[in-house]
Amino acid sequence: MNNDDWYHNDDEHDDLMGNIHQRTEELYRILSWELDEDGFFTCPAIVLEDVVVFPHMISPVFLSDEASTLAIEAAQEENRTVIALYFDDDAPEDSRERFLSIGMDIAVGRILTLLGGEHSALVQGRRRVEIAEIVQIEPYYIVKVRPVNDSYRITRHLTAMMRTSRNLFERCVSLNENLPEEAHLFSINISDPGWLADMIATSLPLTIETRKHLLRLIHPADRLKAVNQILAEELEVLELEDEIQAQVKTEVDRSHREYYLREQMKAIQMELGEDDLWSQEIRGLAEKIQALNLPEAVSAQATRELQRLQQLPPLAPEVGIIRTYLDWIVELPWTETTEDNLDVLHVSRVLEKNHYGLKMAKDRILEYIAVRSLKPKRLHQPILCFVGPPGTGKTSLGKSIASALGRNFVRLSLGGVRDEAEIRGHRRTYIGAMPGRIIQTMRRSGTLNPLFMLDEIDKLGTDFRGDPSSALLEVLDPEQNDAFSDHYLEVDYDLSNVIFITTANTLGTIPPALLDRLEVIEFSGYIEDEKIKIAKRFLIPRQLEETGIDEEGVQFSEQALMKIIREYTFEAGVRNLEREVGRVLRKIARLKTEKKRFPKKITASAIRRFLGPQQFFETEAEGDDEAGVATALAWTENGGEIMPVEVLILDGKGNLQITGQIGEVMQESAQAALSYLKSRAEYLNIDGEIFENIDVHLHVPEGAIPKDGPSAGITIATALISAFTGRPSNHMVAMTGEITLRGRVLPVGGIREKVLAAHRVGLKKVIIPEKNAKDLEDIPKPVLKDVEIIPVKHMDEVLPIALHEATPNLKTTRRKNSG
């Protein structure tokens, strides 16, 4: 920059200061309004919202509305002041008196137009005024005002307050860089206490509400008192800020000192031929990466990140992110594997030793081992899904399979997972980013081929953070999981050597695309005989050991176990059975520690003493043959149950009433059964006109329990036909099957559990759809010997089995309506 430029800039500065001085001089030439004989004057007014002007103070203001501009122009035509009005925040908006009772008489200079079309002017405060009346609103405000009387007498107390104000203000100026030193010098030369308070208030960064409060304080002593309180609070904050800044400066100086010392130490170590700790750490990471024999793409990525790390200073923010990433690369298993035990007989013995039953799951694992032993050219690891009620041994079977194969076992619970990043990980751009749970669990396994159990896959959730079940599609697809992509790693990871086993309680909530990738193995509920054997082989020995009385020779009789199963548990698995056995043994342990007698043989009669009153009451079979009643078979997550269906015929108008908390599907089955009955009325010797004069009430007991599904269709039809014909039903017969309008019987699910339920309550015959005959292979042979299974195709085959011929005493169940 040459000298001419300096002179040019100085000229511009002189012009600017001259312009400001000229505009200020104009303000002093504006006259104040003269008072009338009552001490009032009337003049235009403007509304100020963003600035509060105090007497003697000069400030720029922005004029946002046309009314303010018109008011100022009207006043300037007479070279007079205007009144500044301020909104009262506590007054209603539609109130005529929504302004503060105190305003400010101000002189307004020339109006300047800014680039955005807004207007600005320089104003000078003259005196506080009391608003007496708003004379005019449109096109601009005209008000009638009276100067406030702020007369006072200088006292020692007022002098002391002024001195306190100057001292506090001086300290604030010294600590606040935004307050100019000239402000303090100006305050020293002010002898008027009101002016001093207004000048300090103008200098401080106060809110509009605080400035309005000071504006309304008429007496100088009141203003000084309020200003002193504000100064004290501001000074306290400024001193705290100064203390914090001093601490920060100390920390920065210490960091600089440490940096210089480290650099000096590094230079000394280089002269001595030694490495510093940072260099040793970098070299250690490089050696680990070199020794891992990583895949080519992974090795290239790790090398790039290591080079970035070498170029950064040790205290750089990115160092921790890169170092954590390299730690994950180094600690993940890329090539480490365990050798599978391919001895089929050995695996079979381990599975039989640890688990009772579960034939399908055991056979599938043995088939996998047999195929592996033949060394096929291409091998897909199985993706199994164990589906069954809680407590049936799904997770424990996975542990046994891992133990039998010699693989590491890792487990990941998916219950309640709603974030896709839980599976795929977070991008490294996020603070606190981590790999997904799949990669975290693989790191914990330590090998490339563990047995990986994904528990509760049916309980995955979905929300705004993504769909975790969709992210699992790649994990559980044998065709693509050899290159699983985690957002954090940014390199492919091979999951093709992992045996994935998923568990679920139901298939209904698993998305179809995910279910298609799974090989489903159903875990049915255990029958009572199986539960007794499991208790003797596994549950009782384990609980004896956990309670510390395994050396006392305590035993449970079969009758005692049966009582616990029937009266104290209600489940398809054995989890609650083990819990109740543990309760009994803990009470015995207490008796032993109290030196009291305790039984070595737990009998059925002792169970009530240890476990208290009976907790569950099983639905009992009907005791007599009655008309209008039939027994259905239902499936629940806790196993099968019998479900009586009752029908009553009343005088009415042809309505069908269904009660017992029945779902929509079951209601449709009842409608279909009634329609079938009407279509076969002539064949069944029922007068067709009767349907218009009666109401049918169908009820399924235990109304507090929701019930749904089509499998009670033939039972409802049988109960309806029994009620209309008066033919009593055979109380030793139970049935299940869906009915069509033509009377065809369609297949249903849960046959094994339903037949076991019928056997448990002592029923002798079970009617099932013919297409469900294939499901009888899963039913234990002792049950098939005790219960006669009758497959049927049509309702015509059901009626001769389920209903007796009509008797003179039971011709109809039609009742007169008492209402």
Side-chain angles (χ1 to χ4, degrees), residues 225-495:
K225 181 179 179 182
V227 167
N228 285 348
Q229 183 177 354
I230 294 171
L231 284 171
E233 294 175 357
E234 180 71 13
L235 182 61
E236 185 177 355
V237 174
L238 290 172
E239 288 176 345
L240 183 60
E241 287 182 356
D242 187 59
E243 182 180 348
I244 293 173
Q245 290 176 358
Q247 292 177 355
V248 172
K249 185 175 184 302
T250 302
E251 292 293 331
V252 171
D253 292 343
R254 183 185 296 115
S255 299
H256 286 169
R257 181 172 176 273
E258 290 179 359
Y259 174 76
Y260 290 129
L261 289 175
R262 290 183 187 278
E263 291 298 317
Q264 291 177 0
M265 185 168 63
K266 187 184 298 183
I268 294 171
Q269 287 173 337
M270 290 179 62
E271 290 294 329
L272 297 174
E274 298 177 354
D275 287 339
D276 63 342
L277 294 176
W278 176 244
S279 300
Q280 293 177 12
E281 193 171 351
I282 295 292
R283 188 173 65 251
L285 277 173
E287 291 173 355
K288 288 182 180 179
I289 293 171
Q290 188 69 26
L292 279 177
N293 192 22
L294 299 172
E296 184 176 349
V298 180
S299 179
Q301 174 77 359
T303 303
R304 282 195 300 270
E305 294 295 331
L306 186 62
Q307 291 173 352
R308 286 183 58 201
L309 189 64
Q310 289 174 326
Q311 296 169 4
L312 293 172
L315 299 179
E318 282 189 72
V319 167
I321 298 173
I322 299 175
R323 177 60 200 273
T324 303
Y325 175 78
L326 290 175
D327 284 341
W328 275 100
I329 293 291
V330 168
E331 294 177 15
L332 274 174
W334 297 96
T335 56
E336 299 85 353
T337 59
T338 55
E339 185 177 353
D340 285 345
N341 186 339
L342 301 179
D343 186 348
V344 177
L345 296 177
H346 164 74
V347 175
S348 177
R349 285 194 298 269
V350 172
L351 297 181
E352 288 297 332
K353 176 184 176 182
N354 295 339
H355 294 275
Y356 180 84
L358 308 177
K359 184 176 184 300
M360 290 181 60
K362 293 176 181 178
D363 288 346
R364 181 61 185 88
I365 297 302
L366 296 177
E367 290 166 4
Y368 162 74
I369 295 172
V371 172
R372 279 299 300 269
S373 64
L374 297 177
K375 298 181 181 178
K377 295 181 180 179
R378 188 180 182 194
L379 178 68
H380 282 314
Q381 308 294 335
I383 311 291
L384 304 179
C385 181
F386 293 166
V387 180
T392 50
K394 301 183 292 295
T395 304
S396 59
L397 180 61
K399 293 180 181 179
S400 295
I401 294 172
S403 174
L405 290 174
R407 294 198 179 201
N408 292 344
F409 175 82
V410 286
R411 174 182 169 273
L412 172 60
S413 178
L414 298 176
V417 173
R418 294 179 177 272
D419 190 353
E420 181 185 351
E422 295 274 354
I423 306 299
R424 287 193 177 277
H426 304 81
R427 302 283 182 187
R428 278 195 288 156
T429 53
Y430 295 105
I431 296 175
M434 290 184 67
R437 291 194 182 189
I438 300 297
I439 295 299
Q440 292 180 35
T441 309
M442 290 301 297
R443 173 188 180 182
R444 194 167 67 247
S445 73
T447 60
L448 197 60
N449 64 336
L451 189 143
F452 199 131
M453 175 155 281
L454 296 167
D455 254 343
E456 313 295 350
I457 196 172
D458 58 325
K459 296 175 179 62
L460 284 170
T462 302
D463 63 9
F464 64 93
R465 292 168 290 188
D467 184 2
S469 62
S470 299
L472 279 177
L473 296 178
E474 183 184 4
V475 176
L476 300 179
D477 191 342
E479 298 296 333
Q480 54 182 320
N481 65 3
D482 59 336
F484 172 65
S485 175
D486 185 275
H487 291 158
Y488 182 85
L489 290 183
E490 297 179 346
V491 292
D492 293 339
Y493 191 82
D494 186 6
L495 296 174

Side-chain angles (χ1 to χ4, degrees), residues 688-714:
E689 296 181 358
I690 193 177
F691 296 107
E692 298 179 1
N693 303 317
I694 55 95
D695 285 346
V696 178
H697 186 169
L698 188 149
H699 178 68
V700 182
E702 298 188 18
I705 301 174
K707 311 168 190 71
D708 203 2
S711 62
I714 65 171

Side-chain angles (χ1 to χ4, degrees), residues 693-814:
N693 303 317
I694 55 95
D695 285 346
V696 178
H697 186 169
L698 188 149
H699 178 68
V700 182
E702 298 188 18
I705 301 174
K707 311 168 190 71
D708 203 2
S711 62
I714 65 171
T715 314
I716 295 172
T718 302
L720 286 169
I721 294 171
S722 173
F724 274 90
T725 61
R727 297 171 60 182
S729 62
N730 188 340
H731 72 280
M732 298 303 291
V733 175
M735 61 196 79
T736 183
E738 181 178 356
I739 189 174
T740 69
L741 292 176
R742 294 174 292 168
R744 294 177 57 197
V745 181
L746 302 183
V748 293
I751 294 296
R752 181 180 188 270
E753 288 77 9
K754 293 175 180 178
V755 173
L756 293 179
H759 176 260
R760 189 166 59 245
V761 297
L763 298 179
K764 297 301 181 184
K765 292 183 181 181
V766 174
I767 300 174
I768 66 171
E770 187 178 57
K771 291 185 178 179
N772 282 119
K774 59 181 176 59
D775 298 320
L776 298 180
E777 295 181 3
D778 299 333
I779 300 174
K781 292 181 180 179
V783 176
L784 293 177
K785 289 181 180 180
D786 293 340
V787 180
E788 181 183 357
I789 310 296
I790 306 173
V792 296
K793 292 182 182 178
H794 196 275
M795 274 299 298
D796 290 345
E797 302 175 50
V798 175
L799 299 180
I801 304 168
L803 300 181
H804 297 294
E805 292 300 324
T807 62
N809 294 329
L810 283 172
K811 290 186 177 181
T812 180
T813 56
R814 182 175 177 182

Side-chain angles (χ1 to χ4, degrees), residues 518-533:
L518 306 177
E519 183 178 341
V520 177
I521 297 177
E522 293 189 1
F523 280 49
S524 301
Y526 296 113
I527 64 174
E528 292 175 347
D529 290 343
E530 291 175 333
K531 289 182 179 181
I532 291 174
K533 292 176 181 177

Side-chain angles (χ1 to χ4, degrees), residues 499-512:
I499 292 181
F500 285 102
I501 295 180
T502 65
T503 70
N505 296 128
T506 178
L507 298 177
T509 56
I510 302 178

Side-chain angles (χ1 to χ4, degrees), residues 523-817:
F523 280 49
S524 301
Y526 296 113
I527 64 174
E528 292 175 347
D529 290 343
E530 291 175 333
K531 289 182 179 181
I532 291 174
K533 292 176 181 177
I534 292 171
K536 288 185 175 182
R537 286 179 55 180
F538 305 105
L539 308 184
I540 295 175
R542 182 161 60 229
Q543 287 300 318
L544 285 170
E545 184 178 352
E546 290 183 3
T547 53
I549 56 174
D550 49 329
E551 298 179 356
E552 299 298 329
V554 176
Q555 297 180 348
F556 284 77
S557 68
E558 286 195 11
Q559 292 77 11
L561 292 173
M562 186 67 72
K563 190 176 184 68
I564 294 175
I565 292 168
R566 290 182 176 179
E567 299 182 7
Y568 295 89
T569 64
F570 182 72
E571 59 178 345
V574 292
R575 187 171 292 151
N576 285 325
L577 174 58
E578 182 174 7
R579 192 173 292 126
E580 296 302 321
V581 168
R583 282 182 61 194
V584 173
L585 294 180
R586 285 195 300 273
K587 293 182 184 302
I588 292 177
R590 179 180 173 182
L591 292 174
K592 178 184 176 182
T593 55
E594 293 175 351
K595 309 299 183 182
K596 296 180 180 179
R597 295 182 59 187
F598 60 89
K600 296 289 186 73
K601 179 81 170 179
I602 309 299
T603 61
S605 59
I607 293 300
R608 181 178 177 85
R609 179 160 63 94
F610 287 116
L611 298 183
Q614 180 177 348
Q615 299 298 315
F616 295 97
F617 297 87
E618 191 170 39
T619 304
E620 296 180 356
E622 294 294 325
D624 299 309
D625 296 341
E626 293 185 51
V629 180
T631 303
L633 294 173
W635 178 90
T636 70
E637 289 188 356
N638 294 312
E641 286 189 70
I642 65 168
M643 184 175 67
V645 176
E646 301 175 349
V647 173
L648 194 63
I649 302 174
L650 306 167
D651 290 337
K653 299 180 180 179
N655 297 323
L656 173 62
Q657 182 182 5
I658 306 173
T659 56
Q661 202 169 161
I662 306 302
E664 291 184 5
V665 177
M666 199 166 177
Q667 291 185 34
E668 292 173 358
S669 294
Q671 296 283 356
L674 183 58
S675 297
Y676 168 74
L677 169 62
K678 291 178 179 180
S679 69
R680 302 282 287 175
E682 183 178 354
Y683 171 78
L684 296 169
N685 296 322
I686 300 174
D687 184 3
E689 296 181 358
I690 193 177
F691 296 107
E692 298 179 1
N693 303 317
I694 55 95
D695 285 346
V696 178
H697 186 169
L698 188 149
H699 178 68
V700 182
E702 298 188 18
I705 301 174
K707 311 168 190 71
D708 203 2
S711 62
I714 65 171
T715 314
I716 295 172
T718 302
L720 286 169
I721 294 171
S722 173
F724 274 90
T725 61
R727 297 171 60 182
S729 62
N730 188 340
H731 72 280
M732 298 303 291
V733 175
M735 61 196 79
T736 183
E738 181 178 356
I739 189 174
T740 69
L741 292 176
R742 294 174 292 168
R744 294 177 57 197
V745 181
L746 302 183
V748 293
I751 294 296
R752 181 180 188 270
E753 288 77 9
K754 293 175 180 178
V755 173
L756 293 179
H759 176 260
R760 189 166 59 245
V761 297
L763 298 179
K764 297 301 181 184
K765 292 183 181 181
V766 174
I767 300 174
I768 66 171
E770 187 178 57
K771 291 185 178 179
N772 282 119
K774 59 181 176 59
D775 298 320
L776 298 180
E777 295 181 3
D778 299 333
I779 300 174
K781 292 181 180 179
V783 176
L784 293 177
K785 289 181 180 180
D786 293 340
V787 180
E788 181 183 357
I789 310 296
I790 306 173
V792 296
K793 292 182 182 178
H794 196 275
M795 274 299 298
D796 290 345
E797 302 175 50
V798 175
L799 299 180
I801 304 168
L803 300 181
H804 297 294
E805 292 300 324
T807 62
N809 294 329
L810 283 172
K811 290 186 177 181
T812 180
T813 56
R814 182 175 177 182
R815 307 288 172 85
K816 292 290 184 180
N817 193 332

